[in-house]
Amino acid sequence: MLTLLTSMYLLVRAVSTQAEPIRVVVTGAAGQIAYSLLYSIAKGDVFGQDQPIVLILLDIPPMLPVLDGVVMELQDCALPLLREVIPTDKVEVGFKDIDAAILVGSMPRKEGMERKDLLKANVAIFKTQGAALDKYAKKTVKVLVVGNPANTNCLIASKSAPSIPKENFSCLTRLDHNRARSQVAMRCGVSSDSVKNVIIWGNHSSTQYPDVHHAMVDLHGSEKPAYDAVKDDTWLRGDFISTVQQRGAAVIKARKLSSAMSAAKAICDHMRDIWFGTPEGEFTSMGIYSSENTYGVPKDLIYSFPVQIKDKTWKIVEGLAINDFSQSKLDATAAELIEERDTAVAFLGV
Ligand code: NAX
């Protein structure tokens, strides 16, 4: 019996170690977020410890020499799951048959540049990349947009890839979600995993609405609503919200560089939840396509909602009570997204 069990175990192990590699592309791969991100992906933190990976690094032509350095470092990590690393500046190579796309690459804001000009430069990149995804990627590809303005870039990429389901596209608001979670945890003197079900609504910008009306805090064994645990409504409705909204700017001011380590961690959290699902009874935040006017959010936006994920499919958490204070904030961030979308669509003609 023991021998039979042992040989079955060895067989299962052999099969699992022979799993087909998945192809994952990271754009902006020579940039600072990618530098913090690639190691975690390559060592199995996102797609699983038994999932071999072909990692494709896409950036623009002047960055190819830098990519060579990143490739050497990945090789030098001697990671068993990493089957191949492909550096490229061509979308037809970068997006060929991919299973997951993490679109970080974008144009940074230059001095004196208007917000609208930055938006136009970036949505043009995401139009091209959306069209390339449509042409070259698997139809099951999961696309995560990180490059800013992340929501509108994601919308444009999705509109430019009509053969890929809109549900396969999402944008990163997990960093904001993690920031909100951590702020509440620090305030209550508990670890971040003692706080669950915070929500980021709307745009990944300073109009986003970090909402803890449905969050729960485990205060040393007793679970309480966040408002009861924090016991400071003024802070929760004031400084807490502005701290999360302005956190990116605060990091830039202090570090003279934008958030990279925390952004990379959030990307891993987001993609891992898509791949393996959210824990039972918990939800997370991500920018997804609004098709149903849920919570009064206009259709045809990429808007951050509370979601639960199962079998690689998200579902908006519905039926949460939204008070007037919250509703006005949901509406304000939607208004900004409508303006961004209309500017982008008029400019690109998509
Ligand atoms: P970096 O400037 O360090 O890197 C960007 C990289 O993108 C560069 O290597 C650049 O050559 C490349 N790139 C530019 N155009 C490209 C194209 N057409 N195809 C492929 N690659 C291209 O920026 P980094 O700090 O890594 O940030 C990247 C983006 O993430 C920025 O847009 C940033 O604003 C955004 N962020 C979004 C966050 C979110 O939560 N959604 C948080 C972190 C970050 O601020």
Side-chain angles (χ1 to χ4, degrees):
M1 185 64 180
L2 199 61
T3 333
L4 182 66
L5 283 176
T6 311
S7 33
M8 275 173 70
Y9 169 74
L10 288 174
L11 184 68
V12 168
R13 256 198 80 169
V15 169
S16 67
T17 51
Q18 282 164 16
E20 272 293 302
I22 55 166
R23 295 172 71 84
V24 179
V25 65
V26 175
T27 73
Q32 57 148 2
I33 292 179
Y35 194 73
S36 290
L37 171 68
L38 292 168
Y39 171 67
S40 299
I41 296 176
K43 82 187 231 291
D45 288 354
V46 178
F47 299 101
Q49 296 297 331
D50 53 2
Q51 177 57 66
I53 289 177
V54 173
L55 203 44
I56 303 141
L57 311 182
L58 181 76
D59 212 294
I60 52 178
M63 300 308 282
L64 284 179
V66 178
L67 277 191
D68 285 342
V70 178
V71 173
M72 283 189 263
E73 282 211 67
L74 280 165
Q75 290 166 342
D76 297 348
C77 288
L79 296 163
L81 292 173
L82 190 58
R83 294 300 152 85
E84 197 180 347
V85 188
I86 304 171
T88 183
D89 58 356
K90 296 184 177 49
V91 283
E92 60 272 28
V93 176
F95 293 160
K96 180 85 185 132
D97 292 334
I98 49 165
D99 298 279
I102 302 174
L103 307 184
V104 183
S106 60
M107 184 184 282
R109 191 169 190 155
K110 295 189 187 121
E111 231 181 312
M113 207 175 187
E114 290 290 325
R115 191 177 150 80
K116 268 197 179 159
D117 294 332
L118 182 72
L119 178 100
K120 287 177 183 172
N122 278 310
V123 290
I125 293 175
F126 285 82
K127 183 182 177 187
T128 308
Q129 294 190 345
L133 284 165
D134 200 54
K135 201 162 170 193
Y136 302 111
K138 287 185 181 164
K139 300 304 170 200
T140 52
V141 65
K142 300 293 183 193
V143 183
L144 164 57
V145 175
V146 179
N148 277 318
N151 300 55
T152 302
N153 286 340
C154 184
L155 183 70
I156 295 302
S158 149
K159 282 182 184 294
S160 309
S163 69
I164 298 171
K166 291 217 164 352
E167 294 72 29
N168 292 20
F169 287 80
S170 56
C171 86
L172 189 75
T173 54
R174 183 61 168 263
L175 175 54
D176 311 295
H177 179 102
N178 288 348
R179 286 166 173 164
R181 195 174 186 181
S182 205
Q183 286 296 319
V184 172
M186 287 189 291
R187 191 79 179 188
C188 295
V190 297
S191 59
S192 62
D193 62 347
S194 302
V195 179
K196 63 181 190 194
N197 299 350
V198 301
I199 303 170
I200 302 297
W201 299 95
N203 201 359
H204 169 69
S205 75
S206 56
T207 67
Q208 66 175 262
Y209 172 42
D211 175 11
V212 294
H213 284 95
H214 310 280
M216 300 297 288
V217 181
D218 185 337
L219 273 186
H220 317 292
S222 136
E223 199 163 72
K224 293 195 163 146
Y227 268 83
D228 296 345
V230 171
K231 291 201 194 90
D232 187 344
D233 294 13
T234 311
W235 180 75
L236 280 175
R237 286 177 166 227
D239 284 354
F240 161 71
I241 294 176
S242 55
T243 299
V244 176
Q245 287 173 333
Q246 304 295 335
R247 191 66 159 185
V251 170
I252 293 177
K253 190 160 177 250
R255 220 171 74 88
K256 315 287 176 253
L257 283 170
S258 60
S259 321
M261 175 172 50
S262 53
K265 157 70 166 55
I267 292 168
C268 293
D269 290 346
H270 179 121
M271 220 13 143
R272 192 177 46 246
D273 279 353
I274 290 185
W275 231 250
F276 296 107
T278 42
E280 196 61 39
E282 288 189 33
F283 44 83
T284 186
S285 308
M286 56 171 69
I288 48 163
Y289 189 69
S290 160
S291 59
E292 302 279 350
N293 283 127
T294 318
Y295 295 110
V297 174
K299 292 182 187 174
D300 198 33
L301 295 175
I302 294 281
Y303 190 98
S304 182
F305 283 100
V307 297
Q308 288 179 312
I309 306 166
K310 207 175 165 191
D311 300 329
K312 296 199 174 80
T313 307
W314 53 257
K315 215 172 158 307
I316 295 177
V317 178
E318 294 196 45
L320 299 173
I322 306 293
N323 61 24
D324 292 347
F325 175 83
S326 294
Q327 192 63 55
S328 68
K329 297 205 172 300
L330 263 70
D331 295 345
T333 189
E336 183 185 48
L337 281 171
I338 290 171
E339 199 187 321
E340 280 188 15
R341 177 196 63 197
D342 292 350
T343 307
V345 167
F347 171 65
L348 297 171
V350 288

